């Protein structure tokens, strides 16, 4: 799923942070396969912390 995502895609991400899960929805401003992280709404999320990810394609 992550490999098919690109900058500008509308996504919903559930991820682990410290001792709980959080949800972030918005436009992916960066998908970095080298650093293994995604940026949504100015929040950097490591791939390893992602529990669930939905990609709704390009934002209009």
């Amino acid at each position: 799923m992550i490999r098919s995502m690109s900058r500008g895609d509308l996504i919903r991400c559930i991820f682990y942070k410290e001792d709980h899960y959080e949800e972030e929805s918005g436009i992916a401003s960066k998908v970095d396969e080298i650093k293994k992280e995604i940026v949504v709404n100015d929040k950097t999320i490591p791939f390893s912390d992602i529990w669930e990810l939905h990609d709704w394609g390009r934002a209009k």
Side-chain angles (χ1 to χ4, degrees), residues 6-32:
S6 62
R7 184 175 177 236
D9 282 0
L10 182 61
I11 66 164
R12 176 177 164 255
C13 181
I14 298 172
F15 59 97
Y16 192 75
K17 180 165 183 174
E18 296 174 17
D19 61 349
H20 63 281
Y21 286 94
E22 292 187 7
E23 180 179 328
E24 194 71 34
S25 296
I27 297 172
S29 58
K30 184 177 182 181
V31 179
D32 191 328

Side-chain angles (χ1 to χ4, degrees), residues 47-59:
F47 290 173
S48 60
D49 290 346
I50 295 173
W51 174 258
E52 190 173 311
L53 183 65
H54 299 275
D55 184 356
W56 288 298
R58 301 294 290 174

Side-chain angles (χ1 to χ4, degrees), residues 2 5-11 26-47 50 53 58:
I2 291 173
M5 286 181 26
S6 62
R7 184 175 177 236
D9 282 0
L10 182 61
I11 66 164
I27 297 172
S29 58
K30 184 177 182 181
V31 179
D32 191 328
E33 291 193 37
I34 296 187
K35 290 184 178 179
K36 298 191 184 311
E37 61 189 23
I38 187 168
V39 179
V40 182
N41 301 332
D42 295 326
K43 185 175 285 189
T44 301
I45 305 166
F47 290 173
I50 295 173
L53 183 65
R58 301 294 290 174

